Amino acid sequence: MMNSRPIIFISAVSKELGSTRDLVAKTLLAMGYEPKWQDIAPTETGDLRAVLRKWVDESHAVLQIVGHRYGHAPGETDPTFGPVSYTQYEALYAHAKGKKVWYIILDENHPTDPADPEPDDLSKLQADYRIQVKAHHGLYHSSDTALSTENIVLRLRDDLAKLRRRGKQLATLILALLSFAIGGIAWNVFRQEKTIGEVTGIKEQNQTLLAAVRDLPAAFAAVQQASPQADKATQLSRAYASLDESFRLPPGTLEKELPAFAAKLLAAPDTSLMDKANAEFVLKNYADAEKTALLAKDAALAAAGQPVRDAIAALQLAGQSASEQIQYKRALAHYRAAAALTSQHRDVLAWAAIQNEIGWLLYLDGRYAEQAALMHRVWQACENAGHPEHPATLRAHNHWAIALDSQGKPAEAEAENRAVLAMRERVLGAEHLDTLQSRNNLASALDSQGKHAEAEAEQRAVLAIRHRILGPEHPKTLMSRMGLANSLYSQGKPAEAEAEQRAVLAIQERVVGAEHPDTLMSCYNLSLTLED
């Protein structure tokens, strides 16, 4: 069966770039692609080029991280490409086969894993290869930090999206040709078998919906952490809206169609355990999602050669499913089990990602002092490891600021929110969504201190940017208008607050309907203002 996620082969010298490769793999996985690679150990014997050809042939494209190490090489010169290492061979063979190949060339300042120096002759061969890539291949990018590498992968989104479309078109063409060749007899058999083909073909025919099933839990978690004050229905609707935007679908598409697709996915006999767990989550069967995710974790750990990241992902889904059942103690146990599969010293960023989830659970459980202590430790560990600008670092710092506000320390929270905001403005830009969220957090800390006029100024600034870059009817723009209304209300300006609330309500009733959770929340807020 055709893989439902396009496979991206990551080519890199493991001894030098294992951590960078893991970062790239996590980024691709989050974008809905299946990263693969072939580790080559010094103890392996024989010619591995046949194995590498098989891996490349099975992949849709190759992304090569070009460092300064040559790596291991075949015992004899390759008849086609000359003297090459196995890593170089992966990209050169992919080019010869007509595969799309991207290169990320790391400069001297990019962090790498510690390794003994290579002989000068091998270093010279690798230096020549770097020059060759820059001279003869247009699809290369230079990077000097881990964050830059991550951003490069994210910027490949449009190119990668073409792989999805080509895969879907190819699947459709193959199905059409098969139908034509097999003829009417096969069609009757197909009908008599109660459309088994439709069930088993769900993944090929609905790649976008499948990707959305896999992405909804993470999107939901992101919205919850950005808008903890909203109710569950509102948070879920906003998560669907963010996925509609991500997949460039008309508003409301996924909220309407995804549950029915998830039910079909559960009925398909070949659906993986992890996809079943995600489907249960979409259907709000959180207890079943938790149980199935734990089965997926067990399968991942038991399978020979299965990457640990699959077990970590399963435990994260189990933790989120437990959290949705308000079983925070059990959720913490799942996340801590995932954390045990990471190492602060081996990969501080992977470790920090799980610790950030644990910190959020502590926040939900009202354990603000514990959350503050943990987030401070995670933030400092990432900074000390040389990642002051990484999203995981900034997220930990951001959560620490939120915890301070929740502990009734708004002045300290204001100072930390300003520090996070300054960093995000410098690293991400003034108009990045995370930067704007930091300005919202700052406005909240200002409101908590009674600095309502300053809070209003921040809200107006965020609103102006969101209105310009997202449009007047985008959910985040409307959230800013509601935040502005709250700041006006707090200053004793109910008439101005009412005007904002009525404007928001009119847009919501027209765009998402009178019974949407956001619309109902606006009605409630307006009623409070009118009562005042």
Side-chain angles (χ1 to χ4, degrees):
M1 173 164 292
M2 193 178 301
N3 195 319
S4 58
R5 290 186 175 206
I7 299 172
I8 310 298
F9 185 86
I10 305 176
S11 173
V13 175
S14 301
K15 195 170 186 179
E16 175 191 23
L17 302 173
S19 297
T20 304
R21 184 186 60 198
D22 287 347
L23 171 65
V24 170
K26 291 184 180 75
T27 306
L28 288 170
L29 201 62
M31 294 167 65
Y33 299 88
E34 184 68 24
K36 299 287 186 183
W37 62 81
Q38 174 69 29
D39 273 318
I40 298 172
T43 54
E44 292 188 81
T45 58
D47 192 333
L48 301 178
R49 281 172 289 184
V51 175
L52 298 179
R53 288 194 294 270
K54 177 178 181 296
W55 279 72
V56 171
D57 287 343
E58 292 174 352
S59 302
H60 294 78
V62 172
L63 195 160
Q64 184 169 81
I65 310 168
V66 184
H68 298 275
R69 291 185 70 85
Y70 184 73
H72 302 292
E76 58 186 33
T77 299
D78 188 86
T80 303
F81 306 119
V84 292
S85 68
Y86 283 125
T87 302
Q88 295 172 1
Y89 180 83
E90 291 164 350
L92 292 168
Y93 173 74
H95 264 299
K97 295 290 289 184
K99 300 273 185 180
K100 175 80 79 173
V101 182
W102 297 279
Y103 298 89
I104 301 178
I105 301 180
L106 309 186
D107 72 9
E108 297 288 348
N109 298 319
H110 197 289
T112 57
D113 299 338
D116 295 333
E118 284 187 317
D120 290 343
D121 59 332
L122 298 186
S123 296
K124 175 65 166 59
L125 287 171
Q126 181 65 6
D128 291 343
Y129 178 73
R130 289 167 62 90
I131 294 171
Q132 175 189 345
V133 169
K134 292 180 179 180
H136 300 293
H137 301 294
L139 294 173
Y140 82 87
H141 306 264
S142 297
S143 177
D144 59 353
T145 67
L147 178 61
S148 174
T149 298
E150 184 177 18
N151 287 335
I152 287 168
V153 178
L154 291 170
R155 288 200 300 271
L156 294 176
R157 185 182 299 273
D158 289 343
D159 258 6
L160 289 164
K162 293 176 185 176
L163 296 177
R164 283 190 184 278
R165 290 195 291 271
R166 279 207 302 270
K168 187 174 182 179
Q169 290 164 359
L170 179 60
T172 303
L173 176 61
I174 290 171
L175 288 172
L177 290 172
L178 284 174
S179 297
F180 178 78
I182 293 170
I185 294 175
W187 175 250
N188 288 333
V189 172
F190 180 76
R191 292 289 297 274
Q192 291 169 4
E193 292 296 324
K194 298 180 180 179
T195 66
I196 290 175
E198 287 183 12
V199 174
T200 57
I202 285 173
K203 294 180 181 178
E204 287 85 352
Q205 298 171 30
N206 299 277
Q207 289 185 20
T208 297
L209 291 175
L210 180 61
V213 166
R214 291 168 171 170
D215 290 350
L216 180 66
F220 191 25
V223 169
Q224 287 175 317
Q225 295 181 36
S227 308
Q229 72 285 353
D231 61 88
K232 292 286 186 183
T234 301
Q235 291 169 339
L236 186 57
S237 290
R238 290 174 182 170
Y240 274 120
S242 103
L243 287 179
D244 281 333
E245 182 180 5
S246 175
F247 290 109
R248 300 179 182 178
L249 298 172
T253 299
L254 291 175
E255 192 163 12
K256 179 181 178 182
E257 296 184 10
L258 208 60
F261 175 78
K264 290 181 181 179
L265 200 60
L266 284 174
D270 61 336
T271 302
S272 70
L273 283 170
M274 193 62 183
D275 282 341
K276 283 182 181 290
N278 282 313
E280 295 282 15
F281 191 96
V282 170
L283 294 170
K284 303 179 186 178
N285 300 330
Y286 299 124
D288 289 335
E290 181 184 0
K291 292 176 184 176
T292 308
L294 291 176
L295 292 175
K297 178 265 298 183
D298 291 339
L301 292 178
Q306 189 76 7
V308 172
R309 68 174 182 275
D310 289 356
I312 293 173
L315 284 165
Q316 287 178 288
L317 181 58
Q320 191 176 353
S321 300
S323 176
E324 293 306 316
Q325 301 169 68
I326 320 180
Q327 296 293 332
Y328 297 137
K329 182 177 181 181
R330 205 162 67 226
L332 277 169
H334 296 325
Y335 277 111
R336 283 173 173 153
L341 297 176
T342 68
S343 167
Q344 177 181 347
H345 303 292
R346 184 177 67 249
D347 187 344
V348 70
L349 297 178
W351 169 83
I354 306 298
Q355 298 300 327
N356 278 329
E357 299 296 342
I358 292 172
W360 179 247
L361 273 170
L362 293 171
Y363 172 85
L364 291 179
D365 206 24
R367 294 155 66 174
Y368 304 130
E370 288 181 65
Q371 185 208 15
L374 176 62
M375 292 298 92
H376 188 268
R377 183 164 71 90
V378 173
W379 165 44
Q380 291 296 295
C382 291
E383 282 216 334
N384 293 339
H387 306 289
E389 300 177 351
H390 191 274
T393 312
L394 295 175
R395 186 180 174 202
H397 196 171
N398 182 61
H399 282 178
W400 182 42
I402 292 172
L404 290 171
D405 201 9
S406 301
Q407 288 180 277
K409 301 176 180 178
E412 294 177 53
E414 177 189 347
E416 296 306 325
N417 275 313
R418 289 191 185 280
V420 176
L421 175 58
M423 183 75 77
R424 282 179 165 167
E425 283 181 331
R426 183 166 60 80
V427 174
L428 303 174
E431 298 185 352
H432 191 279
L433 295 181
D434 286 352
T435 306
L436 297 178
Q437 187 59 50
S438 285
R439 295 194 75 169
N440 274 342
N441 294 342
L442 174 59
S444 174
L446 291 168
D447 257 332
S448 297
Q449 297 175 79
K451 299 178 181 179
H452 304 306
E454 292 181 60
E456 178 190 345
E458 290 295 332
Q459 294 284 8
R460 287 191 183 279
V462 172
L463 174 58
I465 296 172
R466 284 178 168 169
H467 189 283
R468 178 166 50 80
I469 65 176
L470 299 176
E473 298 181 355
H474 191 279
K476 288 187 180 295
T477 305
L478 298 179
M479 284 174 60
S480 286
R481 293 195 74 170
M482 288 188 282
L484 174 59
N486 291 337
S487 292
L488 292 168
Y489 180 87
S490 298
Q491 294 178 75
K493 301 176 180 179
E496 293 180 55
E498 178 189 349
E500 288 295 329
Q501 289 166 340
R502 287 194 183 280
V504 169
L505 181 58
I507 294 173
Q508 289 171 329
E509 287 179 332
R510 177 167 51 81
V511 175
V512 297
E515 297 184 358
H516 190 278
D518 280 353
T519 309
L520 298 177
M521 180 59 69
S522 291
C523 283
Y524 177 70
N525 289 340
L526 177 59
S527 73
L528 294 179
T529 303
L530 292 170
E531 182 179 11
D532 187 72

